[in-house]
Amino acid sequence: KKYLKEQATPAELASDQRKTNALQKQISQIQIDRAKKNKSRQAMATAQQTASARKPEDQINQQISKAKKEKSRAQNEENKIKNEIEDLNKLELGVEITQEQKTARLKELEERLNTAIQQKEAANEQIKAGIKQKDAILDQINQINAAASQQASAAQDAIDQLEDAQDDIEK
């Protein structure tokens, strides 16, 4: 009789099981909340990393833009000088211009033309270098995003498993 009195009744067992389930559910909810916060923090860290990588990209874009403007200016100067040489060659020797004047003017124009061509080539090299730098930054950003995507996927998988476990507690 004493042994039977010490044994829990089915109602007490059911009550204890409900309390245990409730506590397990609370524990699993804490774990789910923690996992969601970690996932959110990872997303914020990724955003900060991406933003810090974007700053040099903006500077490089400005450098590329400046180099493109310089290239365009040098190209325009080159075209202008070529037109002047063409016009100079159309002049009639002896009537409109002397040979000495023509030679001197051609020499001056060719020097300006060489300078314009060199400026254009230098600007083109700056553009190429900027594009390489920009590609490296974009590769870095892509790596950051790929790693973040994997982390987010793993975090979501963990959250899903915890939620499934929480549902199983009720069953």
Side-chain angles (χ1 to χ4, degrees):
K1 285 184 176 182
K2 183 178 178 185
Y3 174 75
L4 291 174
K5 286 183 181 180
E6 290 175 354
Q7 295 300 311
T9 66
E12 292 172 330
L13 288 174
S15 174
D16 289 346
Q17 186 61 44
R18 283 192 301 276
K19 289 177 186 177
T20 302
N21 289 349
L23 290 173
Q24 287 176 334
K25 191 171 181 180
Q26 285 178 337
I27 291 170
S28 66
Q29 187 61 49
I30 290 169
Q31 292 171 333
I32 290 169
D33 293 344
R34 173 64 48 210
K36 286 180 179 179
K37 285 178 185 177
N38 288 340
K39 181 180 175 185
S40 175
R41 287 185 183 129
Q42 287 173 345
M44 288 186 336
T46 299
Q48 289 173 343
Q49 289 175 333
T50 302
S52 67
R54 292 275 182 207
K55 288 178 185 177
E57 181 188 15
D58 292 342
Q59 292 171 343
I60 290 169
N61 282 335
Q62 289 174 352
Q63 291 172 351
I64 291 171
S65 177
K66 184 178 176 183
K68 285 181 178 181
K69 288 176 184 175
E70 175 60 23
K71 180 181 176 182
S72 177
R73 187 207 57 77
Q75 181 65 52
N76 289 340
E77 180 69 14
E78 180 183 347
N79 292 340
K80 179 181 167 188
I81 294 168
K82 285 180 179 180
N83 288 338
E84 286 183 46
I85 291 172
E86 191 177 304
D87 290 345
L88 184 62
N89 285 329
K90 289 179 184 178
L91 294 178
E92 191 176 329
L93 284 177
V95 177
E96 298 175 297
I97 192 169
T98 65
Q99 182 63 43
E100 294 82 25
Q101 290 173 326
K102 182 176 181 179
T103 303
R105 182 73 177 136
L106 276 174
K107 184 177 179 184
E108 176 194 335
L109 290 173
E110 286 174 359
E111 287 175 6
R112 284 179 45 208
L113 180 62
N114 286 336
T115 301
I117 290 171
Q118 289 172 352
Q119 290 172 343
K120 183 176 76 170
E121 289 172 355
N124 205 35
E125 290 303 315
Q126 288 177 342
I127 292 168
K128 287 179 185 177
I131 289 171
K132 283 183 183 180
Q133 289 175 329
K134 185 176 176 178
D135 287 345
I137 289 171
L138 292 176
D139 286 344
Q140 180 184 8
I141 290 170
N142 287 338
Q143 289 173 352
I144 290 169
N145 288 334
S149 176
Q150 289 175 343
Q151 289 174 344
S153 178
Q156 188 59 51
D157 288 346
I159 291 168
D160 291 344
Q161 287 176 345
L162 288 168
E163 288 174 342
D164 288 345
Q166 188 181 42
D167 290 343
D168 289 343
I169 290 170
E170 295 174 4
K171 295 176 184 176

